[in-house]
């Protein structure tokens, strides 16, 4: 009789163990499915990001081609020279000493600072040149301590306008002064 009780006890232990194992297996399968779904979502997001990056790269390439074509068109006219993408900032015409300038109201060439004047690096853009930025023409008649290389500083009427202008990047052409 004791062997029968032992057999029944072993049977109960086996059934309980199998029930626990089945529960664990079901939970692992559920978690595995959730992990697979999470991995698939991450892969989908990665694919979307790669696709968006491709669109951005194509747009950038098209913009560069358009800039190159515009530069060739201007240069074909024989009077425009493409300088390149330049940092463009602004300074004010107000004639008192502050952050925008010396305060004497005169450019490096001796003419009054007025809207339509730009400060340039004379090693890049000769003084006296006409500078074309976004279709607007300016006279390169000033220099500035911070205006070096591919940098153009546009004179605007007020300090508030100069501060609001900030720092931008634009394509710059020049029409050299005639000798």
């Amino acid at each position: 009789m004791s062997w029968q009780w032992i057999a029944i006890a072993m049977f109960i232990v086996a059934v309980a163990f199998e029930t626990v194992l089945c529960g664990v297996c079901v939970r692992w399968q559920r978690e595995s499915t959730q992990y697979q779904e999470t991995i698939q979502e991450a892969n989908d997001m990665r694919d979307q990001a790669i696709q968006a990056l491709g669109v951005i790269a194509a747009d950038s390439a098209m913009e560069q081609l358009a800039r190159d074509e515009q530069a060739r068109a201007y240069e074909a006219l024989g009077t425009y020279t493409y300088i390149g993408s330049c940092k463009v900032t602004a300074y004010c015409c107000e004639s008192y000493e502050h952050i925008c300038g010396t305060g004497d109201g005169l450019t490096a060439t001796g003419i009054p600072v007025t809207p339509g004047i730009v400060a340039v690096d004379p090693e890049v853009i000769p003084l006296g040149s006409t500078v074309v930025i976004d279709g607007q023409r300016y006279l390169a008649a000033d220099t500035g301590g911070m205006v070096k290389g591919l940098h153009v500083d546009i004179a605007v009427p007020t300090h508030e306008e100069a501060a609001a202008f900030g720092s931008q990047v634009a394509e710059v052409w020049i029409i050299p002064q005639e000798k």
Side-chain angles (χ1 to χ4, degrees):
M1 198 69 161
S2 78
W3 67 269
Q4 291 172 338
W5 286 108
I6 292 174
I8 291 171
M10 288 181 72
F11 176 74
I12 292 171
V13 169
V15 168
F17 186 68
E18 185 177 334
T19 303
V20 169
L21 275 180
C22 284
V24 168
C25 287
V26 167
R27 188 182 59 187
W28 282 346
Q29 280 183 323
R30 192 175 334 120
E31 288 176 358
S32 176
T33 301
Q34 289 173 342
Y35 291 142
Q36 291 300 325
E37 289 171 356
T38 302
I39 289 170
Q40 185 59 46
E41 288 174 9
N43 286 337
D44 290 346
M45 287 174 42
R46 180 204 60 220
D47 293 345
Q48 289 173 355
I50 289 172
Q51 188 176 26
L53 183 60
V55 169
I56 290 169
D59 288 348
S60 178
M62 293 299 290
E63 288 175 12
Q64 183 62 47
L65 286 173
R67 283 194 298 272
D68 292 346
E69 185 177 313
Q70 186 178 31
R72 282 191 300 277
Y74 277 146
E75 289 173 349
L77 295 173
T79 57
Y80 288 79
T81 302
Y82 181 63
I83 298 301
S85 287
C86 294
K87 175 181 178 180
V88 180
T89 55
Y91 70 108
C92 70
C93 299
E94 296 173 348
S95 60
Y96 61 91
E97 191 164 334
H98 65 290
I99 195 167
C100 285
T102 62
D104 65 3
L106 297 177
T107 66
T109 58
I111 64 174
V113 177
T114 59
I117 299 287
V118 292
V120 297
D121 181 343
E123 292 183 17
V124 177
I125 298 173
L127 290 173
S129 299
T130 298
V131 177
V132 181
I133 303 170
D134 294 329
Q136 292 290 111
R137 292 178 179 215
Y138 303 90
L139 175 61
D142 206 358
T143 60
M146 299 299 289
V147 181
K148 300 291 181 208
L150 296 176
H151 181 182
V152 177
D153 203 14
I154 300 173
V156 296
T158 68
H159 182 73
E160 289 75 24
E161 288 177 70
F165 189 89
S167 179
Q168 303 174 19
V169 174
E171 304 304 310
V172 175
W173 287 265
I174 64 167
I175 303 171
Q177 72 179 17
E178 297 193 19
K179 306 224 182 224

